[in-house]
Amino acid sequence: MVDKDFAEINALQKVFPESAILLCWYHVSQAVNRWLSKSESGVHGLSNTQKRNEIISFFCKLKACTSEDDFKATSAEFCQTFKQYPLVCQYFQKHWEGIGHMWCDYGRRFSHARSETNNVIERFFHRLKYQFLSGYKNRHLDDLIEVLLGKADDYFSVIKTLQDVGRMKNRFADTLSQVSDSVSRLMESGWALKITVKNSHGVNAYQVPSESREDMVYDVCPVESYCNCTYGLRGLLCKHLVLLAKLAEADNDIYPNMETDISTLARIAVKERHYFVHCEDLKVIKMPSLFGNLCFFCIG
C-alpha cells in the first residue's frame, strides 16, 4: 500500500510482479480535496463548498464499488452527474478512472487486515527516525538493526501488554470478538440446518442464508476464503466463513476440513492445467479462482 508515486509503483511491479499494489485511501481523498480547492478545478472558493462535498461523496461511492462492472457504471454516472463541470470529469478520467483497482474495494477482495491507509506505517517510520534514531541522518546500518531488534521490539511488547489489559484498543481483537459473538448467535439459532452444500469441481462451497435479509443467500467457499456478502467482497473478516470453520471443527463429514478441499483443488489444477508459471526463477504459479472470479499467486 503506497501513495500515488508511479516511480515507486513501477519499481514494485518490476521486483514483485505477483503482488497487488494498493493506493492509500487517505492520500487519494487528500489529493482529490487539494485539487478541488485549486482554481483550475472550476469548483474552488466558498461558493462551491457544497459542490466539492458532493464530488467527494461521489468518490466515496466509487471507493465502495465491489466489482469492476459496478465501478464502470458508477464512473459513467459520475461523469453524467458532474457534466456541467468538464474540468472535474477530465481530472477524474485522467488521474483516477484508469487505476480504480488500486483504490476501490473491488481491487481489495482479499484479506488486507482492514487496512485502507499507510498512515500507521508512516507513523512508525516517524517514530523510528525521531525517537529511536534521535533524528540523526546517516546512521550506521548496525545502529538501525540494533534499534529494530531492541527498542522497537520492546516498544511493541509494551503496546501488546497495554492492549491485553484493556488500556489500549486493539481494533483487530475487537472485530474478531464481534464476529465470534455473531457466529455463536448463528450456531445457537440452528443456522447449520439452513446451510446447503454447493459442490463445484469436487470442491465444497456453501449457500449460507443472510441473518438480516430473508431473501438473501450468500455463496461461501472456505478453501478460497470467498464470500459474496458485503464484508467478504471487501476482503474483511466475514462471519459466514468463520461459521463454516466452526462447523468443520464439529463435523468433518458434512463440512470437510480445509486440507481436504485444498488437496482436491490442487488435483483439479494439475489435471485440467488451470495454472501457469508466471515467473520461473521464483516459481510463481498463477491459478484462477473457481468461485470468486479472482486469480491467486502462489510462490513455491
Side-chain angles (χ1 to χ4, degrees):
M1 183 171 290
V2 299
D3 304 346
K4 194 186 174 189
D5 180 345
F6 279 104
E8 180 183 15
I9 290 169
N10 290 336
L12 288 169
Q13 288 176 334
K14 185 173 182 178
V15 178
F16 304 106
E18 76 284 356
S19 297
I21 300 175
L22 307 179
L23 293 183
C24 167
W25 171 238
Y26 170 81
H27 287 95
V28 170
S29 56
Q30 182 185 65
V32 174
N33 265 302
R34 286 177 175 174
W35 185 84
L36 292 174
S37 299
K38 295 179 179 180
S39 58
E40 64 189 80
S41 70
V43 291
H44 67 293
L46 286 174
S47 60
N48 287 311
T49 299
Q50 180 60 35
K51 184 57 61 178
R52 289 197 301 275
N53 290 338
E54 290 176 10
I55 294 170
I56 291 297
S57 295
F58 215 110
F59 262 85
C60 293
K61 182 179 179 180
L62 286 160
K63 164 72 170 66
C65 292
T66 56
S67 72
E68 187 174 6
D69 289 341
D70 185 19
F71 177 75
K72 288 179 179 178
T74 308
S75 296
E77 184 184 351
F78 177 93
C79 293
Q80 179 64 28
T81 302
F82 300 108
K83 62 182 179 181
Q84 67 271 40
Y85 302 99
L87 294 175
V88 172
C89 296
Q90 290 169 19
Y91 169 76
F92 167 69
Q93 291 170 332
K94 180 179 179 180
H95 294 281
W96 303 109
E97 187 176 16
I99 56 170
H101 62 285
M102 298 179 73
W103 59 276
C104 296
D105 285 347
Y106 80 86
R108 307 182 183 211
R109 288 175 55 181
F110 49 82
S111 179
H112 57 283
R114 300 178 65 88
S115 179
E116 299 291 350
T117 76
N118 57 11
N119 292 359
V120 174
I121 192 65
E122 286 189 350
R123 180 180 177 184
F124 171 68
F125 287 158
H126 186 276
R127 185 179 296 278
L128 182 65
K129 288 190 290 185
Y130 296 106
Q131 180 176 329
F132 297 153
L133 295 174
S134 304
Y136 291 111
K137 291 184 179 179
N138 301 321
R139 296 290 289 265
H140 290 173
L141 178 60
D142 54 342
D143 289 340
L144 176 61
I145 293 173
E146 182 181 0
V147 165
L148 291 174
L149 296 179
K151 293 181 181 179
D153 189 56
D154 292 342
Y155 168 74
F156 284 112
S157 295
V158 170
I159 288 181
K160 186 176 185 307
T161 300
L162 292 173
Q163 290 175 336
D164 290 343
V165 299
R167 293 181 59 188
M168 182 179 286
K169 285 188 176 181
N170 184 332
R171 187 176 63 175
F172 180 76
D174 291 344
T175 301
L176 186 60
S177 176
Q178 293 170 6
V179 171
S180 296
D181 290 344
S182 297
V183 169
S184 297
R185 183 176 64 249
L186 290 174
M187 294 184 74
E188 291 171 2
S189 301
W191 224 253
L193 300 176
K194 302 180 181 181
I195 298 173
T196 56
V197 179
K198 180 184 177 183
N199 190 287
S200 178
H201 294 80
V203 176
N204 285 284
Y206 305 88
Q207 291 187 318
V208 182
S210 168
E211 185 180 16
S212 56
R213 292 182 53 182
E214 293 184 359
D215 60 334
M216 182 69 71
V217 177
Y218 299 116
D219 292 324
V220 188
C221 179
V223 73
E224 293 189 350
S225 296
Y226 172 77
C227 178
N228 62 351
C229 72
T230 303
Y231 285 92
L233 290 178
R234 294 171 59 199
L236 305 179
L237 189 62
C238 163
K239 66 182 179 183
H240 308 110
L241 282 166
V242 177
L243 172 63
L244 287 169
K246 291 289 186 183
L247 292 173
E249 291 176 3
D251 192 341
N252 280 150
D253 293 331
I254 299 178
Y255 306 97
N257 60 36
M258 191 71 72
E259 288 75 13
T260 302
D261 273 349
I262 287 175
S263 297
T264 302
L265 192 60
R267 286 196 299 272
I268 294 169
V270 172
K271 181 179 179 180
E272 301 186 10
R273 301 189 67 80
H274 283 171
Y275 68 92
F276 66 88
V277 177
H278 186 67
C279 179
E280 292 188 6
D281 292 339
L282 293 176
K283 290 186 172 60
V284 177
I285 308 285
K286 184 177 180 182
M287 195 172 89
S289 162
L290 291 177
F291 300 95
N293 297 320
L294 302 170
C295 284
F296 300 100
F297 289 90
C298 314
I299 302 179

